[in-house]
Amino acid sequence: MIELRHLRTLLALRETGSLVEAAERVHLTQSALSHQLKDLESRVDSPLFMRKTRPVEFTRAGLRLLALADEVLPEVRKAERDLARMAGTEMGRLHMAIECHSCFQWLMPTVDYFRDHWPEVEIDIPSGHHFDPLPALAREQLDLVITADPQPIEGVHYAPLFRYEGLLAVARQHPLAGQSFVTPEALADETLITYPVEQSRLDVFSQFLTPANVRPREIRTAELTIMMMQLVASGRGVCALPNWALSEYLERDYVSAVKLGEQGVWSTLYAAVREETLEAPWMQDFLRTARETSFAVLNGIKPATRDAESVA
Amino acid sequence: MIELRHLRTLLALRETGSLVEAAERVHLTQSALSHQLKDLESRVDSPLFMRKTRPVEFTRAGLRLLALADEVLPEVRKAERDLARMAGTEMGRLHMAIECHSCFQWLMPTVDYFRDHWPEVEIDIPSGHHFDPLPALAREQLDLVITADPQPIEGVHYAPLFRYEGLLAVARQHPLAGQSFVTPEALADETLITYPVEQSRLDVFSQFLTPANVRPREIRTAELTIMMMQLVASGRGVCALPNWALSEYLERDYVSAVKLGEQGVWSTLYAAVREETLEAPWMQDFLRTARETSFAVLNGIKPATRDAESVA
DNA sequence: TATTAAATATGAAAAACCTTCATTATGATT
DNA sequence: AATCATAATGAAGGTTTTTCATATTTAATA
């Protein structure tokens, strides 16, 4: 007999494209999923997907089950929400900090959805605190932190939201504009514009410049993405930002973007959550919504080169 | 986390009204269901139903889950059917015998549905065989037998379809017509009309007359319900039939019906199936459909006094 | 074409979970 | 009060699921 567990696994598998990542999503090991899916295939008596492609490719039977999952799981979630509300579950609290300055784009729709569906959870994004968000999370001053560098802290779980690529924004007439990628060395003569945070926190440094032992000629900071874009557009510097933060400016041909290195610089955005709160149904719903919304928003704005799977 | 198992149990519980019967439906023990439901209640953190009423009464939370089940399980069944078909499941065979002469009423819609949805299963109701159906089932000459008296046979499973009451049909002007029930003794002076089968097979005898050690004055047989009705209506005898077989004649005021004894004579109609075939998805679907269709038909034609639950 | 890195598969052991058994508790009915 | 039927419970047992450790496969790269 098919169980919801199976449908949840399949959905995670489609969203992540691999057993390894799907396993992380559903809080199981890769081995567990391998067994589970093998078992499911024997129950259903057909193979469900091809494992030798990246991302995995579903068979007709697999697609049929995914269709079922798409139909059924949202209903199940609704019911769970209703039930949680009926149980008069203790009013939850969701105070969050956003380390990544350009997340509001997809975070706001998520928060809106959430406010509608979980009116009894107090949601807030306290602005301008001067403490480190992650320790504040552990101290229970915050309940969720959106961050790109997970630091192991006792009792804190990092739920991956999505992967993204860091790109270098340059003026349209900048010599680098045409290139397929830049080398770290090419930045030695540039002014780099960053958010005003520690360099170790910035992917350009930790993943690109520092390993190559290169320092840009000058570093300027700016608080807002739009200010950075103005500086870049007017040729007063270059800056590294996530593909999705940039795409709105790229579409308007306001600036150009170049890959950082041949492979590009990729990282993952996480939601850091205390382990106890992770289990709460509203938290699960928030994470799910965040992933779905960011996926939709990020694909809606079509980051130039990347396809759906690799961003999700 | 809610699982389909839970939804299936709840549905069975609503349909049967008690843990004991629901357990039978889902092939588990009463104890298992008690545990399972208790566990579910703790997951959901609310009680789901009240156990002290007959039939059980669902709470708001329970109803919410039932609504989910109603929405989700039919979709799951559809998917399972599609998958079974994709797997190219070996062509099944469903040859059946109907011991109860008046079942076609609800059996035909069931068969029609089935033919539509499982075209690869060869369905047939071979008529007029002279052997005993149950042994023929064991011998694999038949695949399903509809019967009201389950006899323990190695490898044969009896899936309950529904309960029904046997009523005594009498002419409208018959002295018994007004009574709230008849005693066995009252039949000592009557002509009893039956189907031409062994008396031990007939509930009137096994559950009513024989225990009271009464024999009717005369016994006549008739092959068809309508013939019986004609005999009864013209005052040439009385006959005992299931409530639902009678109801069409009662509605037209063709005959009257009286309860057999104060408690009435109840029995259960079973589908007898070989254990191996029981597991086949199409067999499961057939049984489910048979139950649903008979429920619908039997309630559509509203047997005078009984309410939905007691018939189901 | 080796070689490596990443992903998936597999078998055995462990853990979790579910079901049964035997019994007790509860409630309805006589 | 006694009986009957249903439901709850705790412990034991069985099954299923998960993990761990390791092997195999695949794709990419030297």
Side-chain angles (χ1 to χ4, degrees):
Chain A
M1 295 253 105
I2 300 174
E3 282 295 345
L4 290 180
R5 168 167 39 97
H6 299 128
L7 300 184
R8 297 193 243 256
T9 299
L10 283 174
L11 227 48
L13 185 57
R14 179 180 61 191
E15 275 161 27
T16 60
S18 88
L19 283 200
V20 180
E21 287 175 80
E24 180 171 25
R25 270 287 177 82
V26 297
H27 302 298
L28 289 175
T29 61
Q30 171 270 320
S31 175
L33 284 212
S34 179
H35 285 297
Q36 188 186 95
L37 288 164
K38 190 178 156 199
D39 166 68
L40 179 59
E41 286 181 325
S42 85
R43 296 187 199 212
V44 158
D45 200 22
S46 342
L48 295 174
F49 63 102
M50 267 109 74
R51 295 109 208 272
K52 11 201 95 171
T53 63
R54 177 133 321 287
V56 296
E57 189 175 331
F58 291 92
T59 62
R60 252 163 60 67
L63 291 171
R64 182 63 187 83
L65 275 178
L66 280 170
L68 178 66
D70 283 330
E71 201 157 22
V72 150
L73 289 180
E75 296 303 325
V76 173
R77 274 173 228 158
K78 269 192 221 156
E80 283 172 334
R81 233 174 20 224
D82 290 349
L83 288 165
R85 203 144 42 233
M86 284 179 195
T89 293
E90 61 324 315
M91 314 266 115
R93 193 194 68 171
L94 181 48
H95 287 188
M96 46 187 156
I98 287 76
E99 287 208 320
C100 116
H101 285 239
S102 14
C103 284
F104 289 86
Q105 202 174 143
W106 57 263
L107 189 62
M108 282 308 139
T110 305
V111 167
D112 290 343
Y113 163 95
F114 193 80
R115 231 192 290 275
D116 283 354
H117 288 89
W118 296 93
E120 57 281 317
V121 174
E122 185 208 329
I123 188 167
D124 192 19
I125 312 183
S127 60
H129 35 74
H130 302 293
F131 43 80
D132 237 8
L134 256 4
L137 177 69
R139 254 184 275 121
E140 309 205 2
Q141 285 171 357
L142 290 172
D143 308 298
L144 185 145
V145 176
I146 292 187
T147 179
D149 60 359
Q151 317 166 7
I153 299 181
E154 176 67 23
V156 171
H157 175 88
Y158 293 89
L161 294 175
F162 57 85
R163 278 175 63 72
Y164 63 89
E165 181 175 9
L167 295 177
L168 191 73
V170 301
R172 297 190 56 209
Q173 60 284 359
H174 193 287
L176 290 173
Q179 316 255 134
S180 65
F181 65 94
V182 291
T183 59
E185 292 71 24
L187 295 193
D189 287 335
E190 300 287 341
T191 298
L192 184 65
I193 304 159
T194 71
Y195 291 115
V197 299
E198 295 168 44
Q199 291 184 6
S200 61
R201 282 292 194 50
L202 297 164
D203 295 335
V204 229
F205 286 99
S206 60
Q207 290 196 51
F208 192 63
L209 295 172
T210 313
N213 203 21
V214 173
R215 306 221 32 164
R217 195 184 53 198
E218 191 188 349
I219 295 175
R220 296 185 54 171
T221 62
E223 290 275 354
L224 299 171
T225 312
I226 181 124
M227 294 169 62
M228 295 182 169
M229 290 297 101
Q230 274 163 10
L231 293 169
V232 169
S234 58
R236 277 179 283 165
V238 298
C239 86
L241 283 177
N243 48 1
W244 44 271
L246 234 35
S247 59
E248 113 180 61
Y249 301 96
L250 293 174
E251 259 164 25
R252 288 196 264 118
D253 280 330
Y254 194 65
V255 296
S256 290
V258 203
K259 220 182 233 293
L260 289 162
E262 207 171 346
Q263 313 306 316
V265 167
W266 288 83
S267 47
T268 303
L269 203 66
Y270 295 89
V273 175
R274 251 170 292 113
E275 262 151 19
E276 337 103 52
T277 39
L278 183 61
E279 294 313 316
W282 52 265
M283 179 59 88
Q284 292 288 324
D285 197 34
F286 182 88
L287 294 177
R288 211 142 32 204
T289 314
R291 280 198 271 258
E292 278 163 17
T293 312
S294 59
F295 181 88
V297 170
L298 270 40
N299 285 292
I301 60 176
K302 286 204 218 66
T305 58
R306 253 137 308 294
D307 59 311
E309 282 73 26
S310 61
V311 173
Chain B
M1 295 254 104
I2 300 174
E3 283 295 348
L4 291 181
R5 167 166 40 96
H6 299 129
L7 300 184
R8 298 192 242 256
T9 299
L10 282 174
L11 229 48
L13 185 57
R14 179 179 63 191
E15 275 162 26
T16 61
S18 87
L19 285 201
V20 181
E21 286 176 79
E24 181 171 22
R25 268 287 176 83
V26 297
H27 302 299
L28 290 175
T29 61
Q30 170 270 319
S31 175
L33 284 212
S34 179
H35 284 295
Q36 187 186 94
L37 287 164
K38 190 179 155 197
D39 166 69
L40 180 58
E41 287 182 325
S42 85
R43 294 187 199 212
V44 157
D45 201 22
S46 341
L48 295 174
F49 65 101
M50 269 109 73
R51 293 112 210 267
K52 15 200 89 173
T53 64
R54 176 134 320 286
V56 296
E57 189 175 329
F58 291 92
T59 62
R60 249 163 61 66
L63 290 171
R64 182 63 186 83
L65 276 178
L66 280 169
L68 177 66
D70 284 330
E71 202 157 22
V72 151
L73 290 180
E75 295 303 324
V76 174
R77 271 173 231 158
K78 268 191 223 158
E80 283 172 335
R81 231 173 22 222
D82 291 348
L83 288 165
R85 204 146 36 236
M86 283 177 195
T89 292
E90 63 320 320
M91 313 268 118
R93 192 195 68 171
L94 180 48
H95 287 189
M96 46 188 156
I98 287 75
E99 287 210 318
C100 116
H101 284 239
S102 14
C103 285
F104 289 86
Q105 202 174 144
W106 57 264
L107 189 63
M108 282 308 140
T110 305
V111 167
D112 290 343
Y113 162 96
F114 193 80
R115 230 192 292 273
D116 283 354
H117 289 87
W118 296 93
E120 57 280 316
V121 174
E122 184 209 331
I123 189 167
D124 191 17
I125 312 184
S127 57
H129 34 75
H130 301 293
F131 42 81
D132 236 6
L134 256 5
L137 177 69
R139 253 184 276 122
E140 310 205 4
Q141 286 172 356
L142 291 172
D143 309 298
L144 185 145
V145 176
I146 292 186
T147 179
D149 60 359
Q151 320 167 4
I153 300 180
E154 177 66 23
V156 170
H157 175 88
Y158 293 89
L161 294 174
F162 57 85
R163 278 174 62 70
Y164 64 88
E165 183 177 6
L167 295 177
L168 190 73
V170 299
R172 296 188 58 209
Q173 60 283 358
H174 193 286
L176 289 172
Q179 315 257 132
S180 64
F181 65 92
V182 289
T183 58
E185 291 71 25
L187 295 192
D189 288 336
E190 300 285 341
T191 299
L192 184 66
I193 304 157
T194 72
Y195 290 116
V197 300
E198 293 168 45
Q199 291 185 5
S200 61
R201 280 293 193 51
L202 297 164
D203 296 334
V204 227
F205 286 98
S206 59
Q207 289 194 51
F208 192 64
L209 295 172
T210 314
N213 202 23
V214 173
R215 306 218 36 162
R217 195 184 52 196
E218 190 188 350
I219 295 174
R220 296 185 55 169
T221 62
E223 289 275 355
L224 298 173
T225 312
I226 182 126
M227 294 169 62
M228 295 184 171
M229 291 296 103
Q230 274 164 8
L231 293 169
V232 169
S234 57
R236 277 178 283 165
V238 298
C239 87
L241 284 175
N243 48 1
W244 43 271
L246 235 34
S247 60
E248 112 179 61
Y249 301 95
L250 292 174
E251 259 164 24
R252 289 197 262 118
D253 280 329
Y254 195 66
V255 296
S256 289
V258 202
K259 218 180 235 297
L260 288 162
E262 208 170 348
Q263 312 307 314
V265 166
W266 288 84
S267 48
T268 303
L269 204 67
Y270 295 87
V273 175
R274 249 169 293 113
E275 261 150 19
E276 338 104 50
T277 38
L278 183 60
E279 293 314 316
W282 52 266
M283 180 58 89
Q284 292 287 324
D285 198 34
F286 182 87
L287 293 177
R288 213 146 28 207
T289 312
R291 280 198 272 259
E292 278 162 17
T293 311
S294 58
F295 182 89
V297 170
L298 270 37
N299 285 291
I301 60 175
K302 285 202 219 66
T305 58
R306 255 137 309 293
D307 58 308
E309 281 73 22
S310 61
V311 174

